[in-house]
Amino acid sequence: MKPTLFLLAAGMGSRYGGLKQLDGLGPNGETIMDYSIYDAIQAGFGRIVWVIRKDFEEQFRTQILAKYEGQVPCELCFQALDALPEGFTVPEGRQKPWGTNHAVLMGKDIIREPFCVINCDDFYGRDAFMQIGHWLAALPEGSKNTYAMVGFRVSNTLSENGTVARGVCAYNEKRHLTDVVERTEIVRCAADGSKAGDPQEPIRYKDEQGQWQPLGENVPVSMNMWGFTPDYFEHSEQYFREFLSDPKNIENLKAEFFIPLMVNKLINEGTATCEVLDTTSVWFGVTYAADRQATVERIQRLVDEGIYPNKLF
């Protein structure tokens, strides 16, 4: 069975100033997710599923889904604040969505095969999809508790405009993930943090004490590109109940149920393994409106080099 690509598209992109998932950046108005879907089809994925908000379903169907008719089977599911297990209600004053793993849970009734989860506003690159696509397709039928993540080399994920936040990964001799630590400030800089972005400087991250620590060029980091077997939904449902039962997560109106939180729990208790896959792909994306033109230019270069056709779909 071919794996499914599951795209997280429920976020508004408030820092960018609109629905950046629908922003045309390619030469014929292609979105970043169009390139992800094109790469996924080349890598052997057989179906595309999005999780979106119900309030922009019509725009999404008109602007996005229509272009894939006859290309690949597509489905939608919806994330809502009140999509909670029986017996739970939205805390008074809560407006923030419940997080990436809550979004993943929305696919539990329509995904029955191994699947890959990605963000819609990250450009992952062809090799990354080949790595995760081949890994998922090679799983024996009925596999359970067997997951993977694409570990991007940190040097391929930096921004020229300042620091980035990345999940820095550790793994054992089997390349099984042992930990993901979120580092919110990673950049090329001197030991005192100066000369940010200087290509002659080593990569560093700021630790809990505010000190800059070196980070190897090829240390794998998570860009939220995960491969799961369908049992992941059952584990997530169970743990989400525990998450909602914790008073701290109810009192904190911004607490979120993230994918790394779920994966760390499962690997630390020995329930599942998560293999760290290496990729040569260079990530880029649009975080702020000022990033848009550079992204347009990078995509155009890939088209000019023949990596992508001038018109995808």
Side-chain angles (χ1 to χ4, degrees), residues 115-149:
F115 62 101
C116 171
V117 175
I118 65 168
N119 297 329
C120 275
D121 50 2
D122 287 310
F123 196 105
Y124 291 100
R126 180 75 50 81
D127 183 70
F129 283 100
M130 289 294 182
Q131 296 297 331
I132 193 69
H134 291 171
W135 188 90
L136 290 168
L139 287 172
E141 187 174 352
S143 293
K144 290 186 175 183
N145 304 318
T146 307
Y147 313 143
M149 61 154 284

